[in-house]
């Protein structure tokens, strides 16, 4: 028996909230990378903060969107350990991609490799997040849509990394973040169209089990990280410094560690 699935059980609330998570994560990743290039002596710290923020933003996007996921007449639960593993995986892979791009320059080869690493982390996170779902049945995917989603993910993560090392003006990076939010959230919902549910039998929802409550608790940590990272970036002295947002990196040798003098 095939289950009736919806990704919008709360209407437009979850897609909008998921988009905000992706946009905030993208914005923090871009701004932290800009700070890392301006301050080579603290490059590792800024890249680490950007990696964690971007990873948490993507992960929060996925599970915020999953709040709206529902199977008619079926109790949906999640394996807590797999949920945490998915968060660790995406942060590690995003960090690998961002550190590679941040230290090795903006060459096409480096950005493509970094994009592949990061994209695989995003896809693996989504796969682990979906495999964490526990129902009285099984999940099946359309292979063609999965492949298209994978390719799309590699492209948008590569573009995100290019933006991180190339776009330094404040308003340009904010605009890029809005576009990245659409792309990342769209990737999730496109991927979800590949899903079909096959139920083992008729299952009624256990009203004592709150899927919403579980996901909200799981999201609390990453949301706190995003809030702290936002505060750090907002109060950074260079944040609204017009001179600091000049694309000085365009005049630096590609792949070099040269940076604008720290004031």
């Amino acid at each position: 028996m095939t289950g009736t699935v919806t990704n919008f059980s709360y209407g437009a609330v979850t897609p909008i909230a998921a988009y905000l998570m992706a946009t905030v994560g993208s914005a923090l990743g871009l701004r932290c990378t800009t700070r890392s290039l301006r301050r080579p002596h603290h490059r590792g710290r800024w890249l680490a903060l950007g990696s964690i923020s971007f990873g948490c933003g993507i992960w929060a996007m996925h599970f915020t969107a999953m709040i709206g996921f529902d199977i008619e007449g079926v109790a949906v639960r999640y394996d807590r350990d797999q949920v945490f593993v998915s968060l660790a995986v995406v942060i590690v892979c995003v960090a690998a991609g961002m550190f590679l791009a941040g230290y090795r320059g903006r060459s096409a080869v480096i950005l493509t490799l970094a994009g592949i690493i990061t994209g695989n982390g995003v896809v693996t996170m989504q796969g682990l997040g979906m495999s964490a779902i526990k129902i009285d049945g099984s999940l099946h995917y359309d292979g063609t849509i999965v492949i298209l989603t994978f390719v799309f993910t590699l492209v948008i993560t590569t573009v995100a990394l290019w933006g991180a090392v190339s776009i330094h003006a404040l308003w340009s990076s904010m605009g890029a973040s809005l576009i990245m939010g659409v792309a990342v959230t769209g990737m999730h919902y496109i991927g979800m169209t590949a899903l079909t549910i096959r139920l083992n039998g008729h299952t009624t929802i256990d009203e004592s089990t709150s899927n919403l409550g579980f996901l909200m608790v799981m999201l609390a940590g990453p949301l706190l990280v995003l809030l702290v990272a936002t505060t750090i970036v907002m109060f950074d002295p260079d944040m609204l410094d017009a001179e600091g947002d000049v694309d000085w990196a365009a005049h630096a040798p590609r792949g070099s560690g040269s940076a604008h003098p720290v004031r």
Side-chain angles (χ1 to χ4, degrees):
M1 181 173 63
T2 301
T4 301
V5 176
T6 179
N7 288 291
F8 307 100
S9 58
Y10 291 94
V13 174
T14 48
I16 292 173
Y19 168 72
L20 291 175
M21 295 300 101
T23 300
V24 170
S26 299
L28 290 171
L30 287 172
R31 299 312 299 168
C32 288
T33 303
T34 296
R35 299 282 79 80
S36 77
L37 295 173
R38 278 183 48 77
R39 299 172 179 176
H41 297 300
H42 299 291
R43 181 168 297 177
R45 297 179 186 177
W46 282 107
L47 287 174
L49 181 62
S51 301
I52 293 172
S53 301
F54 193 28
C56 284
I58 295 173
W59 186 91
M61 175 279 300
H62 172 78
F63 283 99
T64 298
M66 291 305 291
I67 291 175
F69 175 77
D70 186 56
I71 306 171
E72 184 179 347
V74 176
V76 179
R77 299 179 178 84
Y78 288 84
D79 183 297
R80 183 180 59 185
D81 293 338
Q82 285 185 258
V83 169
F84 281 127
V85 169
S86 70
L87 175 60
V89 166
V90 73
I91 290 176
V92 169
C93 290
V94 167
M98 289 189 69
F99 271 79
L100 181 60
Y103 277 98
R104 300 297 296 174
R106 295 179 292 168
S107 72
V109 173
I110 292 297
L111 288 177
T112 299
L113 178 58
I116 290 173
I117 294 171
T118 304
N120 273 281
V122 174
V123 171
T124 302
M125 177 276 293
Q126 179 133 336
L128 287 170
M130 295 305 294
S131 68
I133 295 174
K134 304 303 176 186
I135 61 172
D136 186 17
S138 56
L139 283 63
H140 300 268
Y141 298 91
D142 183 306
T144 301
I145 297 177
V146 170
I147 292 172
L148 289 174
T149 304
F150 177 68
V151 173
F152 182 47
T153 303
L154 294 184
V155 171
I156 63 176
T157 52
T158 301
V159 171
L161 290 170
W162 172 84
V165 299
S166 303
I167 301 175
H168 302 285
L170 175 60
W171 296 112
S172 295
S173 64
M174 292 300 100
S177 300
L178 294 174
I179 296 171
M180 282 303 303
V182 173
V184 172
T185 308
M187 172 271 296
H188 169 83
Y189 283 105
I190 291 172
M192 291 301 290
T193 65
L195 176 66
T196 57
I197 304 291
R198 295 178 187 171
L199 303 176
N200 294 332
H202 181 69
T203 307
T204 58
I205 295 177
D206 179 0
E207 298 295 341
S208 66
T209 301
S210 175
N211 183 46
L212 174 61
F214 171 79
L215 290 176
M216 292 301 291
V217 170
M218 292 296 100
L219 284 164
L223 291 179
L224 179 60
V225 169
L226 291 175
L227 177 61
V228 171
T230 300
T231 302
I232 292 172
V233 171
M234 288 286 291
F235 285 94
D236 181 72
D238 286 342
M239 182 61 186
L240 298 176
D241 187 340
E243 179 185 351
D245 285 324
V246 172
D247 189 5
W248 56 267
H251 305 289
R254 290 181 181 272
S256 72
S258 61
H260 188 78
V262 179
R263 291 194 297 269

